[in-house]
Amino acid sequence: MKNVVIYHNPRCQKSRQTLSLLRDNGVEPEIVEYLKDPPSQKRVLELIDMLGIEPLALVRKKEKDFAASGLSAKSDKRAVAKAIASYPVLLERPVVVVGKKAALGRPPEQVLKLL
């Protein structure tokens, strides 16, 4: 299997469930604890493209840092990438990447399509 990467928050139940699901399917991913090692703006742009989603779908809008980020419904992809790089807690998680494809583990079973 190609390299598998999970953008993971160990305090998040969905993130832990997704990691367990990967392991239950024989995959030991590279774990990126994005709160300790935030993705760059460039990487966030890549994730948005790989996921094929609207940029704001990658943002946790209920986090208190959302207001500080300056994002709104009209924010473009670059603004979202800059905000997530500056406030990594805003990254919707978990994100699993396999090669040039990615899936959001909400629900965790979504990532199985990558395996």
Side-chain angles (χ1 to χ4, degrees):
M1 168 141 273
K2 300 174 187 173
N3 288 341
V4 177
V5 177
I6 182 172
Y7 288 84
H8 178 61
N9 179 348
R11 294 180 55 202
C12 171
Q13 181 180 7
K14 293 293 183 197
S15 195
R16 291 191 311 268
Q17 289 172 347
T18 301
L19 180 57
S20 291
L21 184 64
L22 290 170
R23 289 176 170 160
D24 290 347
N25 281 273
V27 176
E28 185 56 47
E30 174 188 341
I31 299 171
V32 176
E33 288 191 34
Y34 64 88
L35 293 176
K36 294 179 182 177
D37 185 18
S40 67
Q41 289 182 43
K42 179 182 176 189
R43 185 59 174 165
V44 175
L45 288 169
E46 292 169 351
L47 291 174
I48 292 168
D49 289 343
M50 285 189 274
L51 288 163
I53 59 175
E54 290 298 316
L56 279 176
L58 194 56
V59 176
R60 297 178 58 83
K61 296 162 200 72
K62 294 182 181 178
E63 293 290 338
K64 64 180 180 178
D65 285 340
F66 180 73
S69 73
L71 292 175
S72 72
K74 295 181 181 182
S75 295
D76 66 9
K77 186 165 55 170
R78 295 201 181 281
V80 168
K82 182 177 180 181
I84 291 174
S86 298
Y87 302 95
V89 71
L90 296 178
L91 179 68
E92 186 63 84
R93 75 260 179 171
V95 176
V96 175
V97 178
V98 179
K100 295 188 183 277
K101 295 183 180 181
L104 191 57
R106 291 192 167 269
E109 294 77 21
Q110 284 282 90
V111 304
L112 293 177
K113 66 184 178 184
L114 298 175
L115 304 183

